[in-house]
Amino acid sequence: MIDLTNKTAVVTGGARGIGKGISETLAKLGAKIVIADLMEDKAQATAAAIRKSGGKAMAVQTDITNLASVAAMVEKVKADFGPVDILVNNAGWDRMKPFLKTTPEFWDKVININFKGVLNTVYAVAPGMVEQNSGKIINIASDAARVGSMGESVYSGAKGAVISFSKTLAR
């Protein structure tokens, strides 16, 4: 079994759904969990549940589309839990619509959450990982990026960007 004792893991969108499952699993492996989520009440509830089950967790309301919000979250994490060892970019959002029924405002929202949010969080945590000469970044994409998805053209493109960015960053 993997031992993540004394490792700090930030999970974006960690308050519910897949992110909540990731947060709970990493906590069971011993990691200190930071739930970076826009929905503060749900993030607080998930963090409380992790603490109740014996884990260490905190919630930090974070707008991943805003670099200043992400930077403030990272500073809080460093102050309370130490450096970030693991970043899981899980947050995402979409509405299924045919492309011609979308608007530039819709494109911006989908791209900002699904791709720019990844850029912001990596930009904020990577310098610390380089400095400590260790760290893991896990970017959640979607099969929609590989094969396309009916009614998810902008989302598919944004997740494709996440895949390409991740491969390039790894090099």
Side-chain angles (χ1 to χ4, degrees):
M1 183 178 247
I2 299 169
D3 182 11
L4 298 178
T5 303
N6 296 321
K7 299 292 183 186
T8 299
V10 172
V11 181
T12 68
R16 60 192 181 113
I18 293 169
K20 181 178 180 181
I22 292 167
S23 297
E24 292 168 340
T25 300
L26 292 174
K28 286 178 186 166
L29 296 172
K32 298 175 281 187
I33 305 302
V34 178
I35 300 165
D37 204 296
L38 198 56
M39 294 180 273
E40 186 175 20
D41 57 334
K42 290 183 181 1
Q44 291 290 355
T46 299
I50 289 170
R51 288 191 300 270
K52 187 175 181 181
S53 68
K56 195 166 187 185
M58 72 174 175
V60 182
Q61 186 175 30
T62 309
D63 177 356
I64 62 165
T65 70
N66 181 294
L67 183 57
S69 177
V70 172
M73 176 270 296
V74 171
E75 288 308 310
K76 178 158 181 50
V77 171
K78 286 191 224 174
D80 293 359
F81 278 180
V84 177
D85 299 294
I86 303 163
L87 169 64
V88 181
N89 276 311
N90 166 74
W93 181 86
D94 190 26
R95 284 269 151 58
M96 294 186 77
K97 293 182 181 189
F99 179 70
L100 295 179
K101 302 253 185 215
T102 64
T103 63
E105 293 78 21
F106 176 83
W107 308 340
D108 288 344
K109 183 172 182 178
V110 172
I111 292 166
N112 285 341
I113 293 170
N114 293 290
F115 182 49
K116 191 174 178 188
V118 171
L119 298 177
N120 287 336
T121 55
V122 170
Y123 190 79
V125 304
M129 290 179 172
V130 169
E131 186 178 302
Q132 67 197 30
N133 201 31
S134 68
K136 304 287 184 222
I137 298 172
I138 302 157
N139 295 326
I140 307 292
S142 169
D143 203 39
R146 190 179 61 81
V147 298
S149 178
M150 182 79 76
E152 294 185 299
S153 54
V154 180
Y155 174 81
S156 297
K159 290 299 188 174
V162 169
I163 291 170
S164 295
F165 173 72
S166 300
K167 288 179 179 182
T168 301
L169 193 62
R171 289 176 160 247

